[in-house]
Amino acid sequence: MTATLTPTTPGAARLHAAFARAKSEGRAAFIPFMTAGYPTAQAFPAVADALLGQADILEVGIPYSDPLGDGPTIQRASEQALAGGTSTRHTLALVRELRSRHDTPIVIMTYVNPIYAVGPREFMRLAQEAGVDGLILPDLPPDQDLEIADLAAEHGMAVTFLIAPTSTPARVKLVAEACTGFLYAVSVTGVTGTREGSALNEVPAMLALARQHAKVPVAVGFGVKDAETAAQVAQVADGVVVGSAFINAVKAGQDVGALAASIREGCSQN
Amino acid sequence: MSLQLPTYPQPDERGRFGRFGGRYVPETLIPALDELQAAYTEARNDPAFLNELERLLKDFVGRPSGLYLAQRLTEHAGGAKIYLKREDQNYTGAHKINNCLAQALLAKRMGKQRVIAETGAGQHGVASATAAALLGLECIVYMGAEDIRRQALNVFRMKLLGAEVREVTSGTSTLKDATNEAIRDWVTNVRDTFYILGSVVGPHPYPAMVRDFQSIIGEEVKVQHQALEGRPVPDAIVACVGGGSNAIGIFAPFAYLPEDQRPLLIGTEAAGEGVESGRHAASVAGGRVGVLHGAMMYLLNDDEGQIVPPHSISAGLDYPGIGPEHCLYSETGVAQYVPVTDAQALDALQLLTRLEGIIPALETAHAIHAAVNLARTMRPDQTVVVNLSGRGDKDVAEVMRLLDLGREQDAAPTPRTPEVHA
């Protein structure tokens, strides 16, 4: 069941179009994640280019000193990026540079403190200038800050909040209705990172609940690491987010573009 | 039943004390926080819960802790009478046990067999492990690698009590990182795990709940001060502040009195090597408003939002934020927060030890320093109550190391020092 989309901002429109395009090709949208400035500020653009070559939407994470929703892989990537000098403003500069070469929508994943420290209005201005289409806010339940979404909209950007397997129907409704870009369903109770075995059994029930309330596409992330797990998620979701697996690939010196191509393939819904 | 939990103002419906506090956490935890809040609300009105808590506080912890007139310290300061609220007399050696027993009882009541905790100095970890042993709960304590080094004795105590101590090596390997890791564990195991949070920080309802559990400190002071001085309210109260649980425990019972009846409330923040040095843990004096561990508060963070690693001689104050209710007290002038350096605390520790035979924790020593300076400016008919939040046994090895270092540094430039290179 997909309700009609009425994107409120240019960013939301671009994101919705990316989901629609993937759907028309018989796929769930493929949304790879990479920590900005990882493995180094110099090497990041090439990694991002490789991902953008396959992505329907790219998610770029602002490195943060205390990422409490992230597992060890993204924690270490953030520490390394920060040590290399990539913090909040530099992340936006890196996105701006990517935007000069790519038209694929780019969303920023950030904990809320960097937004508050830069100043919400100033942050939104910089993000808009950089060409950011949307924000993913992992530690900001929508009822904690009633102004962020409006401020993002004022600057042409969409917002994405998260639901989890523990979310009650009332919370799913509240969160889903606050999302203007897409809704992000966390596949497991836990932090980001690849897991042993498949732990995606809670996804279908959560998605069914989400679709009762979401007017925007629903993407699933956490624990999706390869074509196989992507395929499982793609059966029920509009989009598939993959993060730690790419950090691990970069760390191991593997071909990120090839991994991305294989996972994109896995997103097929046919 | 005589134990009542206090009814100080609760945070607003979004979990805020003014603009501070809230619930900036992954959505996964929101239902768990709602569940905790409901369970706490129910428990605090249940005579069975209150009776059991009262029994444990009295017979297991040894409450009430004394309110002790420090005569030689008073003479040394030469002003107001200095009383020590002896939380160091509690079983396990600090105020932390007050909160841990209450939360562990709540965990049991909620049917959660697994409890987790973060710890800095190890006092909260030991208290959590103790409560878990007492109530037959599985206990996992997250502790930074740096703190494990500084507090080896407490690490062993926790293990002896049957807890698993998990070393945290992310970030700065101290309390804030241990707290991150405990929250990550909770996000992962939320359905069967209770998070025993040790301070008045974290997402709502923790700051208010921990305050309520610790406020027995200040409530006892009222009764004891009445008996000793013929009036319930002292002229001033001093407590050290990291996250701020011992301070809120002794402040809150007085903070909501009308302004003309309210004592002077002084919180001492760890100024480390000095606020201007940048190496400190003084969130009010040297921080700005930000979000960490689920709450908005004064926080050491840079202009791009990265948390600035705190520094303090004491592991328990080595935290980059300060509880939301303290932030509100500071903003509204209900309490004042003053910085005290490592060196001042180390001196105060020795001063109290020599004059009163009481070795305080390094954390507590920060409050002693400020209390002596404050008492000096007051009249002999006035009183200052210091929350002696913990004893210094855990710090003896570290203090020995620091004093040896100090002696070497003092000695180095002196020509009279014999050149011994044995």
Side-chain angles (χ1 to χ4, degrees):
Chain A
M1 178 176 82
T2 306
T4 4
L5 301 178
T6 43
T8 49
T9 60
R14 282 166 47 77
L15 291 169
H16 296 173
F19 279 96
R21 197 159 46 242
K23 192 181 175 68
S24 74
E25 294 169 10
R27 289 182 296 108
F30 168 49
I31 311 173
F33 165 92
M34 186 51 56
T35 301
Y38 185 79
T40 63
Q42 292 71 32
F44 168 78
V47 173
D49 285 344
L51 293 172
L52 280 160
Q54 302 295 330
D56 294 296
I57 296 164
L58 178 68
E59 179 185 346
V60 175
I62 296 182
Y64 184 50
S65 57
D66 293 74
L68 52 72
D70 284 302
T73 303
I74 294 178
Q75 287 172 42
R76 300 298 181 203
S78 291
E79 286 175 13
Q80 189 171 326
L82 283 169
T86 298
S87 186
T88 309
R89 290 168 195 271
H90 189 233
T91 296
L92 297 175
L94 288 170
V95 168
R96 185 179 194 137
E97 190 214 317
L98 294 177
R99 176 57 75 231
S100 69
R101 296 196 299 276
H102 299 273
D103 193 44
T104 305
I106 298 177
V107 293
I108 287 284
M109 189 289 293
T110 183
Y111 290 88
V112 75
N113 197 53
I115 297 179
Y116 290 151
V118 170
R121 189 167 284 279
E122 173 70 356
F123 180 92
M124 298 299 171
R125 190 184 67 77
L126 291 170
Q128 183 179 30
E129 269 181 21
V132 171
D133 293 293
L135 303 173
I136 300 176
L137 304 162
D139 65 343
L140 187 70
D143 45 345
Q144 283 299 310
D145 187 326
L146 305 172
E147 288 163 14
I148 287 266
D150 288 345
L151 212 47
E154 209 180 292
H155 291 80
M157 293 180 290
V159 288
T160 286
F161 299 101
L162 290 73
I163 57 169
T166 53
S167 298
T168 59
R171 287 302 301 182
V172 170
K173 181 173 193 293
L174 183 148
V175 174
E177 288 175 355
C179 293
T180 56
F182 56 95
L183 171 63
Y184 191 137
V186 173
S187 68
V188 293
T189 58
V191 293
T192 58
T194 57
R195 287 164 177 77
E196 287 305 310
S198 173
L200 301 171
N201 49 348
E202 301 200 76
V203 170
M206 189 174 29
L207 266 280
L209 186 56
R211 290 196 189 283
Q212 289 176 23
H213 302 288
K215 294 190 174 62
V216 293
V218 184
V220 171
F222 285 40
V224 184
K225 58 182 175 187
D226 51 23
E228 192 188 335
T229 43
Q232 274 180 272
V233 169
Q235 296 315 306
V236 288
D238 302 315
V240 179
V241 184
V242 183
S244 298
F246 289 116
I247 307 265
N248 286 332
V250 170
K251 193 174 172 186
Q254 290 163 1
D255 183 342
V256 171
L259 178 63
S262 120
I263 296 180
R264 178 189 167 100
E265 192 80 5
C267 290
S268 166
Q269 290 172 325
N270 298 322
Chain B
M1 180 196 70
S2 55
L3 182 71
Q4 295 281 330
L5 287 175
T7 53
Y8 318 130
Q10 292 291 319
D12 69 19
E13 72 283 355
R14 289 200 301 151
R16 309 276 174 151
F17 292 94
R19 61 183 169 135
F20 304 103
R23 278 184 178 175
Y24 298 89
V25 292
E27 187 68 31
T28 315
L29 292 181
I30 297 291
L33 293 166
D34 283 339
E35 184 194 12
L36 174 61
Q37 191 174 7
Y40 170 54
T41 304
E42 193 186 87
R44 56 173 283 143
N45 294 308
D46 180 352
F49 176 83
L50 295 173
N51 283 337
E52 181 64 358
L53 180 58
E54 181 175 36
R55 182 181 75 84
L56 291 177
L57 289 173
K58 179 170 171 285
D59 298 334
F60 186 75
V61 176
R63 300 205 72 90
S65 67
L67 185 64
Y68 175 76
L69 176 62
Q71 280 176 313
R72 297 189 67 211
L73 190 68
T74 298
E75 283 167 27
H76 171 84
K81 281 192 234 177
I82 301 175
Y83 282 98
L84 307 176
K85 178 57 177 167
R86 299 290 306 273
E87 290 298 297
D88 61 320
Q89 292 171 343
N90 295 343
Y91 176 56
T92 69
H95 69 290
K96 293 290 188 186
I97 191 75
N98 303 330
N99 168 53
C100 287
L101 284 172
Q103 287 200 41
L105 281 175
L106 199 51
K108 189 131 189 165
R109 187 184 167 91
M110 292 171 74
K112 313 265 184 186
Q113 272 299 309
R114 180 179 184 269
V115 299
I116 56 172
E118 82 295 339
T119 199
Q123 291 304 102
H124 176 62
V126 167
S128 297
T130 301
L134 177 71
L135 298 175
L137 303 169
E138 179 192 357
C139 179
I140 289 143
V141 180
Y142 289 92
M143 188 169 187
E146 171 64 14
D147 293 334
I148 286 179
R149 182 193 66 75
R150 289 193 282 194
Q151 305 290 345
L153 181 63
N154 273 344
V155 174
F156 184 66
R157 288 167 80 194
M158 287 184 265
K159 289 180 177 168
L160 201 56
L161 287 159
E164 180 190 339
V165 180
R166 290 194 186 161
E167 182 178 44
V168 177
T169 55
S170 57
T172 54
S173 302
T174 60
L175 178 55
K176 84 169 172 73
D177 309 287
T179 308
N180 287 338
E181 214 49 47
I183 293 173
R184 289 181 187 122
D185 180 312
W186 201 31
V187 170
T188 306
N189 301 295
V190 61
R191 286 178 173 125
D192 67 354
T193 296
F194 187 102
Y195 179 18
I196 301 184
L197 216 167
S199 194
V200 286
V201 300
H204 175 66
Y206 281 105
M209 183 176 73
V210 175
R211 170 198 68 182
D212 292 350
F213 291 149
Q214 289 293 2
S215 63
I216 191 166
I217 304 171
E219 293 296 342
E220 285 177 2
V221 167
K222 283 184 187 168
V223 175
Q224 293 166 322
H225 198 271
Q226 174 71 44
L228 290 160
E229 293 284 331
R231 55 193 169 99
V233 182
D235 296 288
I237 297 175
V238 184
C240 64
V241 183
S245 71
N246 91 77
I248 214 82
I250 200 166
F251 287 179
F254 301 95
Y256 295 98
L257 293 173
E259 193 175 346
D260 59 347
Q261 296 167 36
R262 198 190 301 142
L264 185 61
L265 301 175
I266 305 281
T268 57
E269 295 194 291
E273 296 170 10
V275 174
E276 67 293 336
S277 75
R279 282 179 51 77
H280 62 83
S283 317
V284 173
R288 53 209 199 109
V289 176
V291 169
L292 183 67
H293 299 145
M296 184 167 282
M297 56 192 175
Y298 291 115
L299 181 65
L300 306 182
N301 68 128
D302 69 20
D303 60 8
E304 305 220 351
Q306 309 296 342
I307 308 305
V308 175
H311 164 81
S312 170
I313 194 174
S314 66
L317 302 185
D318 207 349
Y319 186 73
I322 171 171
E325 193 168 357
H326 284 297
C327 295
L328 182 62
Y329 289 177
S330 175
E331 194 172 66
T332 55
V334 165
Q336 294 168 34
Y337 297 84
V338 300
V340 174
T341 65
D342 287 350
Q344 289 167 333
L346 198 54
D347 285 348
L349 179 143
Q350 296 171 81
L351 182 71
L352 185 70
T353 304
R354 298 277 174 81
L355 291 180
E356 299 288 345
I358 297 169
I359 306 176
L362 275 169
E363 290 79 7
T364 311
H366 290 73
I368 301 291
H369 171 83
V372 169
N373 283 351
L374 176 65
R376 193 166 282 150
T377 67
M378 294 166 65
R379 299 188 312 270
D381 63 323
Q382 293 182 302
T383 58
V384 176
V385 173
V386 189
N387 199 5
L388 203 82
S389 54
R391 59 172 169 245
D393 308 34
K394 69 179 174 61
D395 293 318
V396 168
E398 183 71 0
V399 168
M400 192 165 69
R401 190 180 72 83
L402 291 164
L403 292 179
D404 282 349
L405 276 178
R407 263 193 285 280
E408 281 164 23
Q409 279 167 6
D410 289 346
T414 312
R416 282 177 291 124
T417 306
E419 290 187 1
V420 180
H421 297 287

